[in-house]
Amino acid sequence: MLELRSLPATCATRRSESACTGCGARAFSVCGALEPADLARLDALAHKAAFAPGEALMREGETADAMFNITSGSVRVYKLLPDGRRQITGFLFAGDFLGLVSGARYGFSAEAIEPTTACRFRKTEYQALVRDCPALERALFERATHELAAAQNQLLLLGRKTAQERIASFLLDLPAHDPMRETPAGHVRLPMTRTEIADYLGLTIETVSRALTKLKTTGVIRLLSLNELRIEQPERLRALTEGDA
């Protein structure tokens, strides 16, 4: 695994008890379920880390010795096929937890899309805390249940929906996954590239570009920049997710 770059010692080692309580991602994370005493114990185990765009938090096949709570930025999670093709299985944002694996090795890779920060925990220490903290155990169970539901939705997306339906669903769902970053109503921030969107939706980049262009020319969306758009006709976009052209 690539060596993590820790934040300066004044940030990483001289944290006060308010380090977690002042974290903006706490409300959207498993940390939000903890009482102050348990939160202080969790904070004592955390190692603050920063990742540059493209830098790995973990690699598929490496020893699963760490877990991460993302506090800012965004991350792509993916698997590589034997022929080198990439399937992105999800995009994670502030408040998301990464590294809940049952085996001894990671079954996927995770890389920062943009400048990203996270609390890194040693797996053994975190698991010991979970055993002593029922609230944290419940929060992790709820998060795992949510991820299972998301995986089922992704199977439906890839298995049954057309390209246009996949793009429409992606644009409607994405803002809810990044609640910490406030944006005007109807705005969708796209930190990922068109290629990454294609790898997530099981499409080609050409198909993604054509679908976005069609939504633009029909007035459903307005492209504000390469990484941001505004949904002009949300009801029409919602209808498109169900195949109603």
Side-chain angles (χ1 to χ4, degrees), residues 2-98:
L2 295 178
E3 183 179 354
L4 300 179
R5 293 200 317 278
S6 297
L7 297 179
T10 52
C11 296
T13 61
R14 286 193 263 172
R15 298 192 305 272
S16 67
E17 290 184 359
S18 63
C20 284
T21 56
C23 175
R26 184 190 172 201
F28 312 107
S29 172
V30 293
C31 312
L34 303 184
E35 296 297 330
D38 290 327
L39 195 62
R41 293 176 63 191
L42 183 66
D43 182 42
L45 299 179
H47 301 271
K48 303 287 183 168
F51 302 88
E55 190 172 0
L57 284 74
M58 58 183 62
R59 291 290 187 195
E60 183 177 354
E62 291 182 341
T63 302
D65 57 358
M67 309 167 88
F68 300 85
N69 195 57
I70 301 170
T71 53
S72 70
S74 54
V75 173
R76 55 178 171 258
V77 180
Y78 66 91
K79 290 181 70 69
L80 288 177
L81 301 179
D83 61 4
R85 286 178 296 166
R86 179 180 66 177
Q87 175 63 56
I88 291 180
T89 59
F91 297 107
L92 303 182
F93 301 90
D96 285 326
F97 199 84
L98 182 63

Side-chain angles (χ1 to χ4, degrees), residues 84-119:
R85 286 178 296 166
R86 179 180 66 177
Q87 175 63 56
I88 291 180
T89 59
F91 297 107
L92 303 182
F93 301 90
D96 285 326
F97 199 84
L98 182 63
L100 285 173
V101 296
S102 58
R105 298 188 179 277
Y106 295 120
F108 52 85
S109 299
E111 295 174 347
I113 296 175
E114 58 187 326
T116 297
T117 61
C119 288

Side-chain angles (χ1 to χ4, degrees), residues 144-215:
T145 301
H146 173 76
E147 291 179 357
L148 178 60
Q152 292 173 334
N153 288 334
Q154 181 69 356
L155 287 174
L156 172 63
L157 191 76
L158 297 177
R160 293 296 180 182
K161 292 194 173 186
T162 65
Q164 194 72 53
E165 292 167 356
R166 296 180 199 185
I167 293 291
S169 298
F170 178 73
L171 295 180
L172 284 174
D173 292 343
L174 186 60
H177 293 283
D178 193 11
M180 184 176 161
R181 193 142 28 194
E182 294 185 5
T183 56
H187 282 235
V188 179
R189 182 176 168 275
L190 300 168
M192 65 289 295
T193 65
R194 301 294 191 264
T195 299
E196 289 168 338
I197 295 174
D199 287 347
Y200 176 65
L201 297 177
L203 303 170
T204 65
I205 186 173
E206 293 81 11
T207 300
V208 171
S209 296
R210 284 196 300 269
L212 290 174
T213 298
K214 183 177 181 180
L215 291 174

